[in-house]
Amino acid sequence: MVYENIQVQVTGGTIPEEEIKAYVTHSKKTYPNRKIEQLDIHVDGDFVDLRCQFAPENFERIRRITGYLVGTLDRFNDAKRAEVTDRVKHM
């Protein structure tokens, strides 16, 4: 079942569609800054276990290079770029 662009899977029993919609709404309120791709609802008698699978998030890599925290080298001048290429990497 798909509800509000979220794939919903119910295991271990059956629950009414109205209750499924309430769990989707609850999950979206619990994780407002994350995109939920799938919601697994496991029914165990009177108890329900909810498990959300989130969409991957983009992130920018930040490194300390020549004393500066940078994500990319596009704002470095020629001298700083040369310093980056000349440095020795220790592993």
Side-chain angles (χ1 to χ4, degrees):
M1 164 182 204
V2 177
Y3 181 72
E4 292 186 17
N5 294 326
I6 298 174
Q7 180 69 35
V8 178
Q9 182 178 351
V10 179
T11 58
T14 58
I15 54 176
E17 187 172 335
E18 185 176 298
E19 190 173 348
I20 293 172
K21 291 178 183 179
Y23 290 135
V24 170
T25 303
H26 169 74
S27 298
K28 289 174 79 174
K29 285 182 183 177
T30 303
Y31 304 104
N33 298 325
R34 305 284 306 268
K35 182 182 178 203
I36 301 172
E37 287 186 335
Q38 183 173 338
L39 177 63
D40 296 328
I41 303 171
H42 180 72
V43 180
D44 185 15
D46 291 337
F47 299 98
V48 175
D49 183 28
L50 303 177
R51 295 187 183 196
C52 299
Q53 293 181 7
F54 302 105
E57 292 186 18
N58 296 329
F59 65 94
E60 182 180 343
R61 180 180 176 196
I62 296 178
R63 304 176 286 171
R64 179 179 296 278
I65 300 175
T66 67
Y68 297 95
L69 292 175
V70 296
T72 61
L73 305 178
D74 60 342
R75 296 183 64 194
F76 276 14
N77 61 22
D78 292 338
K80 280 292 179 193
R81 288 177 198 261
E83 195 175 328
V84 169
T85 58
D86 292 342
R87 65 184 252 195
V88 176
K89 294 183 181 179
H90 302 281
M91 293 187 162

